Amino acid sequence: MSNQNQQAVARYHNNFLREVEERVEDGDWVKMCMQCGVCAGSCPLGSAWEHTPQKIFMMIRAGKRDEVLKSDAMWMCTSCYNCIVRCPRKLPITHIMHGLANYAHRLDMAPKGQPTRVIAKLFWDNLVKTGRVNELKFSLAMYFKDGFVQGIKNAMAMQSAGLSLVKAKRLNPMEIIGGHKCKDSSGIKKMIARAREIEDRKKGFTS
Amino acid sequence: MADNKFAAYICSGCGIGDKIDIGTLEKIAKKEGKMAEVKVHPFLCSTEGVQLISDDIANEAVTHVCIAACSRRAKTEAFYFPTVAMSRANLREGVLWVVAEGDAHDEVRQEMADDYVRMACAEVKKMKLPEGNPNHGGNKRILVVGGGMSGMTSALEAADAGYDVVIVEKQALLGGWGAKLWKRVPFKAPYAEPQDTGVAELAAKVSSHPRIKVYVGSTVAETAGAPGRFNIKIAQDADIVEETVGAIVQATGFTSYDIAKLPELGGGQANVTDQAGLEALAIAANGAAIKRADGKVVESVVFVQCAGQRDDTGKHLPYCSGHCCATSIKQAMYFKDANPDINTVVMYQDLRVPGMGEDFYRSAQDKGVTFTKGRASGVESSGSGCRVSFRDLILDEDTSVEADLVVLATGQVPSAGVDLEAWNPVVMAADGGAEDAKQKKAEMQKISILNLNYRQGPDMPQFKHGFADSHFICFPYETRRTGIYAAGPVRRPMDMLQATEDATGAALKAIQAVENASLGRAAHPRSGDLSFPTARLEGCTQCKRCTVECPFGAIDEDERRFPKFNEERCRRCGTCMGACPVRVISFENYSVDTVGSQIKSVDMPDEFSEKPRILILACENDAYPALDMTGLSRTVYSAFVRVIPVRCLGSVNTIWITDALNAGYDGVMMMGCKKGDDYQCHFVKGSELAHYRMSKIGDTLTQLGLEPERVVTHEVAITDNTRVAQYINDYVAQINEIGMSPMKGFN
Amino acid sequence: MAKKNYAFYPGCSSQKGASASNFVTSIGMMCDKLDIQLNEIPDWNCCGASIGYGEGGELPRLALNARNLALAEKNLPGQDLVSGCPACWLSTRETAERLHQHSDLMAETNVALKEAGLSFKGGVKARHMVEVLIEDVGFAGMKAQVVKPLEGLKIAGYVGCQTNRPFGIAGESFENPMYLDKMIETVGAEAVSYDQKVTCCGGALAFSEPEKSQKQIRDIVESAYDNGAEMIVTPCQLCQANVEIYQSEINKKHGTKLAMPVMYYSQLMTVAYGGNSKQAGLDGNIIHSQKLRDIAAK
Ligand code: SF4
Ligand code: SF4
Ligand code: SF4
């Protein structure tokens, strides 16, 4: 169990709903779900979800902490916002899914190597470095996320697409040695660090 | 009374004169219809046209008026001549607007119009001017039985409208169910918090109202008489007090389903209670932490919804009581408001919170009440509390939850008195001398509420599951006892807000009833009708069909065992007239003859004409309006039909059918309201009785050597204007297929 | 006519040499014709996109977006922030709204912004390019500039997710928005009706969940084909990239022959306004539309 996780367990004594309300983005909405199932029927990758948003809300209420946080369900969210606009109770479901994923990742309970989790981290790291996303570095990093050999395979698989993008001037191979960058990237780094620190304090994370 | 003088007035307006030869109609009215006067006017409903008729009534001593113009349902204000008998030939909606356009149809159109004029003349000749019931009572006080939320509201509404009220409550105090509550479900915005019941204030208002006389600790020992003249015996301790009233509101509410019948859900265990039990605990706590009977402060509670309700095994209540979800939400808030840390679970299968209950539900979620979609399978004691086992219907697994206290949301059981279906056989046996039946009868009588001395039994007929029958689809407060109105959970499950609305409606109906009764007129749905049924007792065979079939219990028996009509209790449906095998029952303006003569007046083409004639007997409440609307929307139907409106299909006497078939009609269609559990029949049982009677007509048809398809019955709602045209056209096609009636030309 | 000025937030994918660079090319002439002046926000940063949540928490993402809003507020006062990218727009607008509604978040965000030497007062409105076209220019205004109507071109308007939800274009329904069809008709082409107008293309999961996303894309393209479309048009960068790029992958895996051009509305408008292939960024597409090229060359 990660340190963060142990602390969370100690802090909430199995009151998972309260934990979610306090620590997950928009988590205080979970109790307002009326279990109609509209969200479950609205997810584009619906059948791939281990538990639909509707079920996740019920599981939180039933205190199923491990099952929720260890699930890869919320990592299936494509951010299509279908559920948000349809939920009769106006739950910000997309945000809650993002929030749960983020929280599970923080506690290191999210499934290891979950592709979206890996990519999300790569993306963020890429962005924090320069303030902007460098698509080539990002893509390359992505191809190698599963290790070197798999990376070559992945890159080969998408090679033709990549080449056509290069030809269409929509992927710049020169970026590997430079590319886009914010002038005040150090300011941005500091800003993000500060924001994170405030949030951690507010949500009771101790590092 | 002066001699009868008959006059017909034909309107050529609205395009009638363009398509129909008015000259022919005039001749028919005069020669065949034997009208003393026949006048044509180009715009009969105009001031001038109406004046023409009024003048004839005033100066020419016209006593019977036949108007050949639009439907009897149109221009009723213009053609209002209360001092004469009147019939209407429906040339506009019934002919002009429904017969296909074009010269090809001129002939059949004219024939149809001719027949309608013949029929209207024939009808009016058999009519008398109804003069109203001369022996009516005029008491306008209103008795309210039951002093709960519904009863008190009815009493106040009626009293504030200026009517004297007598209210009878069997408990020592007014308040009923409402007085046992700690708080009530909110009925005002923002619908977020339980609110004070307001029962005490209401009771004080009732008690101090100058127009309301309150009897508490009292019951109704006998109800005799009829609207406008009910004699009520009120039993108070050992005393009997007599009161006379004009109408009655029965607001006797409900009791909650006995949890002892639910051992599987822990009914009978110490830490399991029902919603009423929880209210008592909450009142005892007075806003502080709620304690169990054993004094332990409740730290976790589970509400089990639909306990013994919506049950399809036949063991418990099959219906939903409608209020219990909101009630549990309210009770869950009692806990959360006292201490937000109390674990409060509402276990539901479908949470049903109609109306603004949705906001209340949301508010409870906001307070942290946990809503679990699950089906409880068992409650057993565990530790110092209970364990509720359930199927989680979302996560699809069997699981359980522990709680200090379990509250079962049980249903409403109506307090409607004696079930007449069970009563009547017992009475019959008791009358036959059976001792056990006599005892049973005495037992049953104890739960009677009204103790009506009617031949038909001591209380109102019940519908299903013990609720008072009250025409729930169209006229919710109308029961099957005229002048007696049901309000609140006695007629269907409901919450407090609905009950107060109900109570207001019932009070208004009671007021309408006493006003109509005091003028000798009928109550709903023929409100204001002055005709009433009479029987030529010389011809009566004492078969009792009228007394039994009258849906409203209007007919008692006199000492000689003849039917005794209580006109004020009668709704003027004519069901008795339809039932009477020797046809001795009639109204002044509606009788076996008024309809029979119309049937016979139609000009019957011969067998080889290829012009079938089909008689339609259409209920005036829904089917006839639907036919008018068919005209209004210019939907075409066959010109071979002849429509006669009837008060109710229940009033159709089988003699009309035999007369029609004998006269050579090729088919008879009957159109009435929906029957059965979701009946729409304005007279509740009329349509059903008609269907039943017609199911027996097969024999007659066989005797006549006719196909069973020659008589058909349809359920028609007022909105069925397109469908009704389809029925007609399909039937005409079917008749063409089976061929013309062989009965033509025999008379 | 006086130019309408906007604080322009291009977003990462619209940078030179990035996946939506041809989008930026194509809006140049369109904006000129419509008197829209886009003033790039100096030193803007990434919005965090729809995948930033995994590692970045709530406040870091709010701070990122607030930085762009603050830069616009400071350097381009009085101008609405406009983005052509739905994800950028969505993140920025959501940030602006959340900070507006929660004063505590506003205060905390400003503490973080201070590290980058900025502060945000809340005075900037975040809008999508399409909103500017519809609300500030209007359909009539867009139509007025058409010199080469795209006659005979059958187009499936693909609105996708984030231009449509959760905010959408005012007055449009989430389930069947009509504005894109109207824009297609405005430039003289025919909008076909098909049932995948607002289906998700898989979004950022195109990388991590390729199978599942490609199923979405295949449904979209096939439905467009089935309903007689010769081209898909979208207002979304991610939709454009996903739906165009992965067709060859799908073909390889499933033996299909998908080759449906996927364009931006701005490319259509540029051509209709008389622009050539280059101005419309047509060379930036992987799957070409000969018809559109022909019209552009006319
Ligand atoms: S936003 Fe996420 S959770 Fe909501 S419907 Fe789309 S994919 Fe599902
Ligand atoms: S749509 Fe909303 S209310 Fe319905 S199940 Fe999903 S989150 Fe709950
Ligand atoms: S059957 Fe109808 S008309 Fe006859 S007595 Fe009863 S209510 Fe009156």
Side-chain angles (χ1 to χ4, degrees):
Chain A
M1 222 190 249
S2 81
N3 200 19
Q4 290 283 9
N5 188 24
Q6 273 162 359
Q7 280 161 1
V9 170
R11 186 178 166 120
Y12 291 102
H13 309 289
N14 283 331
N15 191 338
F16 186 39
L17 178 62
R18 179 159 304 166
E19 182 177 347
V20 168
E21 286 177 343
E22 286 180 13
R23 292 187 139 191
V24 171
E25 186 173 341
D26 278 334
D28 54 343
W29 277 93
V30 170
K31 60 179 183 233
M32 300 308 287
C33 166
M34 65 174 194
Q35 293 297 315
C36 67
V38 164
C39 53
S42 300
C43 257
L45 306 192
S47 52
W49 287 64
E50 184 185 6
H51 314 291
T52 61
Q54 174 197 15
K55 278 198 182 173
I56 290 176
F57 298 147
M58 198 68 187
M59 289 163 79
I60 293 172
R61 277 144 49 160
K64 296 181 182 282
R65 186 172 186 273
D66 277 17
E67 276 123 301
V68 170
L69 295 177
K70 288 182 177 162
S71 170
D72 85 336
M74 47 279 183
W75 297 97
M76 291 296 148
C77 174
T78 65
S79 307
C80 73
Y81 292 85
N82 235 339
C83 51
I84 280 211
V85 301
R86 288 183 183 166
C87 171
R89 279 301 183 77
K90 301 195 160 47
L91 267 77
I93 304 166
T94 319
H95 303 161
I96 305 171
M97 291 304 117
H98 293 177
L100 282 169
N102 173 262
Y103 187 58
H105 173 68
R106 269 316 292 270
L107 301 188
D108 201 18
M109 290 179 79
K112 300 251 174 317
Q114 204 292 331
T116 306
R117 181 184 179 195
V118 173
I119 286 180
K121 177 149 177 48
L122 288 173
F123 182 89
W124 186 259
D125 292 348
N126 193 304
L127 132 76
V128 170
K129 258 181 227 140
T130 61
R132 291 189 190 171
V133 170
N134 179 320
E135 286 184 329
L136 184 70
K137 281 185 189 157
F138 178 50
S139 326
L140 284 177
M142 234 165 329
Y143 294 141
F144 291 96
K145 72 181 161 48
D146 303 326
F148 188 75
V149 177
Q150 188 58 38
I152 299 288
K153 280 196 199 143
N154 289 346
M156 292 303 283
M158 277 305 287
Q159 192 186 40
S160 59
L163 272 182
S164 13
L165 281 176
V166 172
K167 271 195 243 148
K169 297 205 175 55
R170 285 165 58 185
L171 194 63
N172 184 355
M174 294 312 285
E175 277 200 3
I176 202 151
I177 47 160
H180 303 284
K181 185 172 160 39
C182 284
K183 281 192 216 108
D184 188 22
S185 52
S186 75
I188 292 173
K189 237 177 262 169
K190 275 189 276 170
M191 173 185 83
I192 291 174
R194 184 88 172 125
R196 175 127 179 180
E197 178 198 318
I198 299 171
E199 186 158 278
D200 281 0
R201 201 180 335 115
K202 203 166 60 168
K203 297 195 170 166
F205 284 104
T206 45
S207 41
Chain B
M1 201 185 174
D3 285 345
N4 288 341
K5 182 168 181 188
F6 300 91
Y9 300 87
I10 304 171
C11 179
S12 61
C14 282
I16 297 172
D18 305 339
K19 293 278 174 65
I20 294 164
D21 179 27
I22 303 293
T24 313
L25 300 183
E26 260 185 290
K27 244 181 269 157
I28 287 172
K30 200 150 216 141
K31 289 234 173 70
E32 297 177 41
K34 308 248 162 41
M35 295 286 113
E37 290 285 348
V38 179
K39 292 184 178 171
V40 177
H41 194 276
F43 189 3
L44 195 58
C45 61
S46 65
T47 326
E48 202 189 292
V50 170
Q51 195 61 47
L52 174 79
I53 304 174
S54 318
D55 285 351
D56 282 359
I57 294 170
N59 309 328
E60 307 293 329
V62 166
T63 56
H64 288 64
V65 170
C66 165
I67 293 173
C70 41
S71 164
R72 58 161 64 190
R73 304 180 63 258
K75 306 287 175 199
T76 48
E77 270 155 40
F79 300 139
Y80 175 67
F81 306 110
T83 59
V84 296
M86 179 171 72
S87 70
R88 305 269 302 258
N90 187 355
L91 301 182
R92 193 180 66 174
E93 289 84 343
V95 182
L96 184 66
W97 288 351
V98 290
V99 178
E101 305 245 348
D103 304 352
H105 303 278
D106 282 353
E107 190 180 310
V108 289
R109 187 186 305 112
Q110 184 70 36
E111 285 172 2
M112 200 180 192
D114 294 351
D115 273 348
Y116 278 135
V117 170
R118 288 185 186 102
M119 290 156 78
C121 292
E123 182 187 13
V124 78
K125 274 192 291 190
K126 298 288 182 186
M127 287 168 84
K128 285 202 264 322
L129 177 67
E131 285 172 340
N133 167 21
N135 344 301
H136 58 78
N139 190 297
K140 294 191 182 177
R141 297 167 86 207
I142 290 164
L143 169 71
V144 176
V145 186
M149 206 66 196
S150 322
M152 291 195 294
T153 307
S154 266
L156 278 173
E157 292 288 344
D160 285 345
Y163 292 80
D164 287 332
V165 174
V166 177
I167 184 166
V168 175
E169 164 58 47
K170 76 168 180 256
Q171 301 294 336
L173 288 173
L174 290 174
W177 188 259
K180 297 182 196 143
L181 307 182
W182 165 238
K183 292 272 163 73
R184 65 177 284 185
V185 171
F187 61 101
K188 285 194 199 105
Y191 305 96
E193 306 293 336
Q195 62 186 64
D196 286 333
T197 61
V199 167
E201 294 76 8
L202 204 62
K205 237 175 164 180
V206 168
S207 305
S208 62
H209 201 295
R211 284 193 180 277
I212 304 179
K213 195 161 166 188
V214 181
Y215 289 93
V216 284
S218 308
T219 53
V220 175
E222 190 190 69
T223 303
R229 54 173 181 86
F230 283 115
N231 286 311
I232 314 292
K233 291 198 177 114
I234 297 167
Q236 202 176 23
D237 302 323
D239 299 341
I240 293 282
V241 191
E242 295 205 30
E243 294 280 2
T244 309
V245 299
I248 301 171
V249 172
Q250 181 174 334
T252 42
F254 70 100
T255 53
S256 57
Y257 191 70
D258 185 2
I259 58 170
K261 293 183 186 159
L262 295 165
E264 65 275 28
L265 292 179
Q269 287 175 30
N271 300 322
V272 178
T273 183
D274 61 6
Q275 292 182 325
L278 189 85
E279 292 294 341
L281 297 179
I283 288 174
N286 197 22
I290 293 176
K291 293 185 189 137
R292 293 196 310 214
D294 64 2
K296 181 187 180 310
V297 169
V298 176
E299 278 161 33
S300 55
V301 56
V302 172
F303 292 85
V304 176
Q305 296 309 109
C306 305
Q309 304 193 63
R310 301 174 64 207
D311 172 80
D312 51 13
T313 65
K315 258 170 51 194
H316 305 299
L317 304 180
Y319 53 86
C320 160
S321 292
H323 79 92
C324 6
C325 283
T327 300
S328 287
I329 290 173
K330 174 193 74 173
Q331 296 185 338
M333 286 187 185
Y334 294 170
F335 291 96
K336 283 285 179 192
D337 288 346
N339 176 3
D341 285 333
I342 294 175
N343 201 359
T344 314
V345 175
V346 175
M347 190 177 294
Y348 66 96
Q349 291 169 54
D350 306 283
L351 207 69
R352 294 180 171 179
V353 281
M356 304 313 288
E358 184 62 22
D359 285 356
F360 194 46
Y361 170 22
R362 224 180 289 239
S363 166
Q365 285 181 296
D366 207 35
K367 286 176 194 268
V369 175
T370 304
F371 288 84
T372 295
K373 191 173 167 83
R375 192 186 309 110
S377 52
V379 177
E380 59 218 33
S381 69
S382 154
S384 72
C386 312
R387 176 184 304 119
V388 182
S389 309
F390 67 103
R391 175 98 195 149
D392 188 313
L393 295 172
I394 298 295
L395 305 180
D396 215 17
E397 61 186 16
D398 291 317
T399 173
S400 66
V401 52
E402 306 272 334
D404 288 342
L405 184 69
V406 171
V407 183
L408 302 182
T410 54
Q412 292 180 324
V413 179
S415 311
V418 175
D419 175 8
L420 302 188
E421 304 270 336
W423 167 262
N424 283 319
V426 172
V427 170
M428 210 121 70
D431 288 356
E435 278 312 313
D436 54 336
K438 280 184 190 159
Q439 217 175 333
K440 181 114 191 269
K441 181 179 166 187
E443 266 320 294
M444 286 178 93
Q445 206 141 19
K446 279 194 200 139
I447 66 154
S448 174
I449 284 165
L450 295 176
N451 283 299
L452 292 162
N453 71 350
Y454 293 10
R455 181 186 183 277
Q456 293 79 5
D459 284 296
M460 286 191 265
Q462 297 176 359
F463 181 55
K464 268 205 237 173
H465 320 307
F467 290 97
D469 195 350
S470 69
H471 210 298
F472 64 93
I473 291 178
C474 309
F475 315 104
Y477 320 112
E478 292 292 345
T479 71
R480 287 177 52 196
R481 291 295 174 259
T482 309
I484 308 180
Y485 299 93
V490 71
R491 65 167 200 89
R492 70 163 177 83
M494 63 177 79
D495 63 22
M496 212 186 240
L497 179 61
Q498 289 167 331
T500 49
E501 281 165 8
D502 227 46
T504 310
L508 289 174
K509 292 304 291 187
I511 290 170
Q512 191 189 31
V514 295
E515 289 299 339
N516 269 323
S518 74
L519 296 170
R521 309 193 307 195
H524 170 94
R526 293 189 59 87
S527 180
D529 186 0
L530 286 165
S531 73
F532 56 90
T534 48
R536 267 186 307 108
L537 293 180
E538 323 69 279
C540 171
T541 59
Q542 299 193 332
C543 74
K544 310 251 184 312
R545 284 207 202 152
C546 57
T547 28
V548 171
E549 291 194 8
C550 169
F552 304 103
I555 312 170
D556 285 327
E557 243 170 66
D558 68 11
E559 319 72 56
R560 298 166 307 150
R561 316 213 69 174
F562 279 118
K564 179 178 179 297
F565 286 82
N566 291 279
E567 290 80 4
E568 302 96 324
R569 270 151 59 179
C570 164
R571 302 275 181 94
R572 281 66 168 172
C573 59
T575 299
C576 49
M577 180 173 111
C580 183
V582 287
R583 301 178 291 285
V584 297
I585 300 174
S586 63
F587 298 78
E588 294 99 322
N589 55 2
Y590 184 61
S591 63
V592 170
D593 276 354
T594 60
V595 175
S597 64
Q598 291 183 70
I599 294 174
K600 290 174 205 152
S601 71
V602 166
D603 186 48
M604 189 60 59
D606 66 31
E607 208 176 332
F608 312 103
S609 65
E610 289 184 7
K611 285 180 184 159
R613 286 293 175 259
I614 287 154
L615 174 66
I616 297 183
L617 296 167
C619 161
E620 65 178 9
N621 296 297
D622 268 34
Y624 199 70
L627 284 161
D628 275 355
M629 308 266 264
T630 308
L632 211 62
S633 62
R634 302 296 196 280
T635 309
V636 170
Y637 62 73
S638 166
F640 296 143
V641 298
R642 302 293 179 261
V643 184
I644 299 178
V646 295
R647 289 187 176 185
C648 171
L649 275 199
S651 72
V652 172
N653 195 296
T654 38
I655 189 74
W656 295 339
I657 316 287
T658 18
D659 278 358
L661 296 170
N662 275 321
Y665 282 85
D666 303 280
V668 179
M669 296 180 88
M670 302 213 297
M671 297 181 178
C673 301
K674 199 165 188 348
K675 59 178 186 336
D677 280 355
D678 47 355
Y679 67 82
Q680 293 180 14
C681 176
H682 290 49
F683 298 102
V684 185
K685 289 283 167 206
S687 179
E688 191 166 305
L689 285 167
H691 278 76
Y692 175 73
R693 289 179 203 147
M694 291 312 134
S695 69
K696 308 253 147 187
I697 211 159
D699 295 346
T700 321
L701 289 169
T702 336
Q703 275 166 21
L704 294 171
L706 292 172
E707 300 79 358
E709 295 84 7
R710 300 252 181 222
V711 180
V712 295
T713 312
H714 285 290
E715 285 181 351
V716 171
I718 197 157
T719 47
D720 279 343
N721 47 325
T722 336
R723 194 178 305 165
V724 102
Q726 195 59 45
Y727 286 155
I728 292 176
N729 295 336
D730 290 350
Y731 191 53
V732 171
Q734 192 186 0
I735 290 295
N736 278 330
E737 215 151 275
I738 51 181
M740 295 289 190
S741 163
M743 308 291 291
K744 288 184 203 284
F746 281 116
N747 26 356
Chain C
M1 203 203 274
K3 293 253 181 200
K4 294 181 272 288
N5 275 283
Y6 301 92
F8 184 51
Y9 174 30
C12 300
S13 64
S14 294
Q15 299 170 92
K16 204 151 173 271
S19 60
S21 50
N22 61 333
F23 169 72
V24 183
T25 311
S26 71
I27 61 172
M29 174 165 169
M30 175 188 90
C31 288
D32 256 6
K33 290 272 179 194
L34 298 174
D35 290 321
I36 293 170
Q37 169 78 43
L38 299 179
N39 311 304
E40 185 165 334
I41 298 171
D43 205 36
W44 56 266
N45 55 260
C46 173
C47 69
S50 38
I51 198 152
Y53 65 83
E55 172 73 21
E58 181 183 10
L59 206 56
R61 279 183 296 127
L62 290 176
L64 268 181
N65 287 287
R67 183 173 175 274
N68 291 330
L69 287 159
L71 284 168
E73 193 174 51
K74 182 175 152 198
N75 299 304
L76 300 161
Q79 297 180 15
D80 287 349
L81 179 151
V82 171
S83 177
C85 167
C88 295
W89 168 58
L90 197 155
S91 305
T92 318
R93 175 160 169 185
E94 200 169 280
T95 300
E97 291 190 1
R98 250 197 246 190
L99 296 185
H100 185 74
Q101 280 158 11
H102 304 280
S103 50
D104 53 332
L105 287 179
M106 180 66 119
E108 289 159 6
T109 304
N110 269 313
V111 172
L113 274 178
K114 215 167 152 212
E115 299 288 335
L118 288 165
S119 77
F120 179 49
K121 292 177 202 62
V124 182
K125 208 171 153 195
R127 300 175 72 198
H128 188 278
M129 191 70 207
V130 166
E131 283 182 295
V132 169
L133 293 179
I134 293 170
E135 290 160 10
D136 298 1
V137 176
F139 289 104
M142 285 186 250
K143 191 169 185 143
Q145 299 300 327
V146 173
V147 294
K148 285 192 213 158
L150 311 181
E151 271 157 10
L153 208 52
K154 290 189 173 172
I155 303 181
Y158 174 48
V159 179
C161 299
Q162 297 190 348
T163 335
N164 187 36
R165 297 179 299 260
F167 300 116
I169 304 301
E172 292 284 358
S173 90
F174 295 126
E175 307 292 340
N176 186 17
M178 294 308 294
Y179 68 86
L180 190 55
D181 289 354
K182 280 193 232 157
M183 288 171 76
I184 290 168
E185 282 157 12
T186 301
V187 295
E190 183 189 332
V192 305
S193 82
Y194 71 126
D195 60 4
Q196 306 284 335
K197 190 191 266 184
V198 295
T199 300
C200 178
C201 67
L205 268 56
F207 276 123
S208 51
E209 299 288 352
E211 293 293 333
K212 292 163 195 139
S213 305
Q214 284 169 27
K215 183 181 173 303
Q216 299 291 114
I217 294 165
R218 186 175 167 182
D219 285 350
I220 295 161
V221 176
E222 286 184 341
S223 168
Y225 270 120
D226 289 349
N227 290 282
E230 304 160 89
M231 180 193 291
I232 287 175
V233 160
T234 178
C236 174
Q237 274 69 353
L238 199 53
C239 294
Q240 197 284 330
N242 279 348
V243 177
E244 185 179 48
I245 294 171
Y246 289 102
Q247 288 185 43
S248 62
E249 273 294 295
I250 296 169
N251 289 342
K252 236 186 276 165
K253 281 188 209 147
H254 302 283
T256 47
K257 292 205 174 70
L258 305 180
M260 176 72 74
V262 185
M263 303 279 167
Y264 295 109
Y265 60 90
S266 48
Q267 294 181 288
L268 297 189
M269 290 171 74
T270 301
V271 172
Y273 291 176
N276 60 26
S277 234
K278 198 167 153 44
Q279 286 167 309
L282 298 188
D283 49 356
N285 285 87
I286 298 171
I287 303 171
H288 296 293
S289 160
Q290 198 51 48
K291 265 200 187 171
L292 197 60
R293 292 193 155 198
D294 290 349
I295 299 174
K298 255 199 304 206

